[in-house]
C-alpha cells in the first residue's frame, strides 16, 4: 500500500510550529470529559500535580522567589546603592572582594553588597514579569476573545472579522518574541516601563490565538447550542458561557509566559534598554555590568545569571506540569 510522506518537523516554519503548539493547548477544554463542570478538571489536575516531582520542584522555586521578592526590603541587609566598602574594591587592578561574613556573595565593582542587590533585584524581576504578563494577557484576551466570538457566533461577517484579526496576530507571531520586544523598546526608549510594555506586547499574539482557539472549541459544545435554542442573545452566550469556559488554557499559558517574560526582560536590560536607575537593580542590568569583569570576577555575572535561570526554570516546570495534568494526551 502506498504510504503518505511525513513532513519533517524541522522543515516546518517556526511560526507555524509555535501556532500549532498554541492551538493544541487551546483544545484542552474541548476534550475534557467532565460534562461542563469546570471545577472537576481543575480538582483532578491539582491532585495529579501533588504527585508530580516536576510540579513540586517548580512550585517550591516559584514560592521561594515570590517570598524573597515580596520581603526584599526586610531580607536585604544593606541598601542597593550603598557603597560602604568602595575602598576595598579596585576594578582597575582586578582586585575584588569575594564572599565573607559581612557580604555573603561578596562585593561588586563599586563596593556594593551583591546579596542585597540580588534580593532587591528579585522584586524588580517579579514586577516586570507580572506586569508584562498582564499586558499580554489583557490585550491578547481582548483580541482573541473578539475574534473567537465573531468566528463562533458572528456568521459570515463575523468570520471575516476573525480572519482579519488573526492575520495580524499571525504576522506578530511570525516575528521572534525577543526581536519584537527589542523593536518596541527601541522605539519607546530605555526605562522599566519600556521593558514591561515591550515584553507584554510580544506576548499578545500567544494569548490571542490561544483564547480564540479555545472559544472555537467551546462553540460546538451542547450548552452553546442549548442556549441558542432558548433564545439567549449571542453576546450574552459569548461573555457568560463560552468565554469563562475557555480560560483554562490561557491560565496555563500565563504561567509559562512568566518564564519567557523574565528571560526577555533580562535580555532587554542586558542590551541597555532597561531601567537606567541603579537604585533599582535588575538581574539583566547586573549581568550587563558584570561582563567587563568576566575574567577577573566571574561571580558578578554568575549570580544574576543563576537567578534568571532558576526562576525561569521554576515557572516553566510549574506551567508544564499544569499543562500535562490538564491534557489527556500528556497524562501519565
Amino acid at each position: 500500500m502506498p504510504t503518505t510522506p511525513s513532513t519533517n518537523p524541522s522543515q516546518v516554519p517556526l511560526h507555524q510550529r509555535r501556532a500549532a503548539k498554541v492551538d493544541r493547548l487551546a483544545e484542552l477544554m474541548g476534550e475534557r470529559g467532565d460534562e461542563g463542570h469546570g471545577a472537576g478538571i481543575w480538582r483532578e489536575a491539582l491532585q495529579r500535580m501533588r504527585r508530580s516531582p516536576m510540579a513540586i520542584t517548580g512550585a517550591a522555586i516559584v514560592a521561594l522567589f515570590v517570598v524573597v521578592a515580596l520581603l526584599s526590603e526586610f531580607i536585604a541587609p544593606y541598601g542597593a546603592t550603598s557603597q560602604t566598602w568602595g575602598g576595598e574594591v579596585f576594578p582597575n587592578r582586578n582586585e575584588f572582594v569575594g564572599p565573607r561574613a559581612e557580604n555573603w556573595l561578596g562585593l561588586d565593582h563599586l563596593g556594593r553588597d551583591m546579596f542585597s542587590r540580588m534580593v532587591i533585584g528579585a522584586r524588580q524581576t517579579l514586577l516586570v514579569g507580572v506586569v508584562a504578563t498582564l499586558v499580554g494577557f489583557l490585550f491578547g484576551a481582548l483580541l482573541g476573545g473578539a475574534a473567537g466570538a465573531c468566528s463562533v457566533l458572528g456568521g459570515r461577517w463575523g468570520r471575516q472579522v476573525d480572519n482579519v484579526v488573526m492575520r495580524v496576530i499571525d504576522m506578530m507571531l511570525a516575528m521572534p518574541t525577543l526581536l519584537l520586544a527589542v523593536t518596541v523598546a527601541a522605539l519607546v526608549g530605555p526605562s522599566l516601563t519600556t521593558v514591561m510594555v515591550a515584553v507584554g506586547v510580544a506576548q499578545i499574539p500567544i494569548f490571542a490565538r490561544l483564547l480564540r482557539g479555545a472559544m472555537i472549541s467551546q462553540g460546538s459544545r451542547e450548552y452553546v447550542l442549548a442556549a441558542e435554542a432558548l433564545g439567549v442573545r449571542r453576546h450574552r452566550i459569548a461573555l457568560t458561557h463560552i468565554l469563562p469556559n475557555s480560560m483554562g488554557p490561557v491560565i496555563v499559558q500565563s504561567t509559562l509566559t512568566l518564564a519567557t517574560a523574565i528571560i526577555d526582560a533580562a535580555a532587554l536590560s542586558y542590551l541597555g534598554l532597561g531601567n537606567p536607575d541603579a537604585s533599582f537593580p535588575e538581574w539583566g542590568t547586573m549581568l550587563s555590568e558584570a561582563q567587563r569583569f568576566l575574567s577577573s570576577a566571574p561571580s558578578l555575572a554568575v549570580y544574576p545569571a543563576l537567578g534568571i535561570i532558576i526562576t525561569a526554570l521554576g515557572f516553566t516546570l510549574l506551567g508544564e506540569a499544569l499543562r500535562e495534568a490538564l491534557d489527556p494526551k500528556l497524562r501519565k
Side-chain angles (χ1 to χ4, degrees), residues 55-312:
I56 295 173
T57 303
I61 294 174
V62 170
L64 178 61
F65 169 68
V66 172
V67 169
V68 171
L70 295 179
L71 302 179
S72 59
E73 294 183 356
F74 304 98
I75 298 177
Y78 309 104
T81 58
S82 177
Q83 302 182 20
T84 306
W85 302 274
E88 302 180 28
V89 179
F90 301 95
N92 295 333
R93 294 184 293 184
N94 294 329
E95 295 182 8
F96 294 88
V97 176
R100 58 185 183 181
E102 309 97 291
N103 314 107
W104 293 354
L105 299 181
L107 305 175
D108 68 356
H109 62 290
L110 295 178
R112 298 171 296 191
D113 181 59
M114 278 294 295
F115 177 76
S116 299
R117 290 180 63 79
M118 284 291 299
V119 170
I120 297 175
R123 180 178 57 186
Q124 300 301 311
T125 301
L126 177 63
L127 176 64
V128 171
V130 171
V131 173
T133 301
L134 286 176
V135 170
F137 174 83
L138 292 177
F139 287 94
L142 180 62
L143 292 175
C150 289
S151 178
V152 174
L153 303 172
R156 182 170 62 89
W157 291 104
R159 287 190 291 270
Q160 291 181 357
V161 173
D162 169 59
N163 187 55
V164 171
V165 173
M166 293 313 298
R167 296 298 74 76
V168 175
I169 295 300
D170 287 343
M171 287 189 293
M172 296 178 65
L173 195 63
M175 183 178 296
T177 304
L178 183 57
L179 179 59
L180 181 59
V182 169
T183 302
V184 175
L187 293 175
V188 179
S191 68
L192 185 62
T193 303
T194 296
V195 173
M196 293 186 291
V197 172
V199 176
V201 169
Q203 304 299 333
I204 288 177
I206 300 293
F207 285 107
R209 188 178 183 95
L210 184 59
L211 182 57
R212 180 252 188 186
M215 292 184 68
I216 292 177
S217 178
Q218 288 290 319
S220 60
R221 292 181 65 85
E222 292 79 2
Y223 69 86
V224 176
L225 301 177
E228 288 182 321
L230 292 173
V232 181
R233 295 185 177 181
R234 291 185 174 183
H235 71 274
R236 184 176 179 84
I237 296 175
L239 292 177
T240 62
H241 297 283
I242 298 178
L243 183 61
N245 285 286
S246 303
M247 295 304 296
V250 182
I251 296 174
V252 176
Q253 183 61 36
S254 299
T255 307
L256 296 171
T257 300
L258 272 169
T260 305
I262 289 173
I263 295 175
D264 290 345
L268 292 179
S269 298
Y270 180 83
L271 295 175
L273 298 173
N275 189 5
D277 189 355
S279 61
F280 297 96
E282 201 274 328
W283 289 346
T285 304
M286 296 172 62
L287 190 60
S288 177
E289 294 176 348
Q291 66 178 339
R292 296 177 294 168
F293 312 107
L294 285 178
S295 59
S296 54
S299 61
L300 299 182
V302 170
Y303 295 140
L306 285 178
I308 296 169
I309 294 172
I310 294 175
T311 303

